[in-house]
Amino acid sequence: MNPTAQKPAAPAPANAAERRDYYERIRPLSLTPLWESLHALVPREPATPCVPALWRYDEIRPLLMESAALITAEEAVRRVLVLENPALPGSSSITQSIYAGLQLIMPGEVAPSHRHVQSALRFIVDGKGAYTTVGGERTTMYPGDFIITPSWAWHDHGNEGVGGTVEPVVWLDGLDIPMLRFFDAGFAENDDAKVQHVVRPEGNSLARFGHNMVPVRHDHVSATSPIFNYPYVRSREALALLQKQEAPDAWLGHKLRYINPLTGGAPMPTIGTQLQLLPKGFAGKTHRATDGTVYSVVEGRGIAEIAGRRFEFGPRDTFVVPSWAPLRLSAPGEDVVLFSFSDRPVQQAMGILREAFLDEA
Ligand code: 1HN
């Protein structure tokens, strides 16, 4: 089976002119003939317009810093360079369902409080000591932290530094913007205050939900995890132990998914997130899945072969693997750690997620 094989062009029918005339006559009534589009509407297998792509942080960082001289975080509301799939120009989408961007907050800046139905994740890429406040609790950002802004939660960001130093901080934003656009279900509003009033101490939600225990009188499960910062030090420690104790999976290396501790499901209703370690020397087998996936490189240099194209990646780079594209990961020279996210929980809820783990290299 050749996935790229096109249906051979059918010979032109004898009544082609009559059919064209018929199509023209039904068009003013907002009618179209299904038989002309059936094959494209129901493809034999995914035929995404997305292409694989890699964004090199070394190239982007100077441009991000340049933007800081052009506009403040406050004027921009969010100062972000959107990572747009090269095959989807104008869409602000990295896959058909996911938005991604790199956000910069300079020392002393504030990104004002607002809320929207779109859910967001932040994966901290460069620098430490910025904060985000979500629903009245503040968390300080460190590289590799995975932070959630649930749907309709008030959120503002700032950068006051930590440990006596303050530096520019950059994170990767992942949002379900294209999904909300598809459903035409988006609402948004600005807060009266620029900066939210903090009502709980830092670390409160992690203390209550982040230690394999939950408060005994907490009985409501919401769509989004009650943990909103999954600190890198803790996720990284789990991977380091697994690396010592177990052989890596032949396709994925050592790979863990983040969970909502109340359900065991994905931490966000629309976006699933994972962290994986490819030990030095790892040469993965090929796998593919129907969830187009965004990867952020945390540690190490390695290689991603995506649909036959070879991408060499290094720390802080971002790359995208389109739906159903064969992916092979390798780490020839050093340990590699990758964070990734996709629309997997939505596909699982619909019962349509497909994955294949191929046996060839
Ligand atoms: C947003 O609110 C944030 O809060 C980041 O940091 C990116 C992209 C589109 C719409 C809202 C943020 C966004 C966004």
Side-chain angles (χ1 to χ4, degrees), residues 32-265:
T32 72
L34 173 64
W35 58 88
E36 292 291 341
S37 52
L38 186 60
H39 296 285
L41 288 175
V42 187
R44 281 173 48 85
E45 55 178 52
T48 180
C50 295
V51 294
L54 169 83
W55 288 263
R56 278 181 216 293
Y57 190 69
D58 289 347
E59 257 180 321
I60 296 171
R61 190 177 196 277
L63 296 169
L64 260 178
M65 295 305 150
E66 199 181 328
S67 76
L70 295 175
I71 190 164
T72 64
E74 190 168 340
E75 188 192 350
V77 182
R78 299 295 185 260
R79 187 175 48 227
V80 178
L81 293 181
V82 178
L83 308 183
E84 191 169 67
N85 193 285
L88 303 174
S91 67
S92 298
S93 303
I94 191 164
T95 69
Q96 297 265 67
S97 59
I98 300 276
Y99 158 104
L102 286 167
Q103 180 160 176
L104 168 65
I105 187 145
M106 295 297 281
E109 284 191 324
V110 164
S113 180
H114 69 188
R115 64 178 178 177
H116 38 70
V117 169
Q118 290 81 357
S119 296
L121 69 83
R122 332 277 170 197
F123 186 72
I124 316 311
V125 164
D126 191 10
K128 61 176 187 310
Y131 68 83
T132 183
T133 306
V134 176
E137 185 177 332
R138 181 180 280 204
T139 192
T140 304
M141 299 176 172
Y142 295 89
D145 289 355
F146 157 49
I147 295 173
I148 299 173
T149 307
S151 177
W152 210 236
W154 293 111
H155 55 287
D156 55 272
H157 320 304
N159 186 357
E160 296 172 353
V162 67
T165 58
V166 54
E167 58 194 21
V169 173
V170 176
W171 64 79
L172 178 65
D173 283 315
L175 287 91
D176 53 14
I177 287 173
M179 292 186 238
L180 267 290
R181 185 165 57 202
F182 174 78
F183 289 120
D184 286 331
F187 294 85
E189 59 188 37
N190 293 322
D191 208 344
D192 296 332
K194 195 164 78 175
V195 174
Q196 255 179 96
H197 190 54
V198 172
V199 298
R200 281 190 307 282
E202 177 150 8
N204 187 249
S205 57
L206 197 66
R208 298 206 288 163
F209 300 99
H211 295 75
N212 297 319
M213 294 185 278
V214 302
V216 289
R217 294 180 68 190
H218 182 95
D219 54 9
H220 65 274
V221 172
S222 48
T224 305
S225 172
I227 300 174
F228 77 109
N229 187 348
Y230 295 72
Y232 188 61
V233 283
R234 298 178 65 175
S235 322
R236 184 66 180 86
E237 184 187 8
L239 292 178
L241 283 170
L242 293 178
Q243 182 180 16
K244 278 195 203 137
Q245 297 172 347
E246 297 178 3
D249 179 89
W251 291 269
L252 306 174
H254 302 281
K255 186 168 185 177
L256 297 173
R257 63 181 176 86
Y258 294 86
I259 60 163
N260 174 340
L262 298 178
T263 64

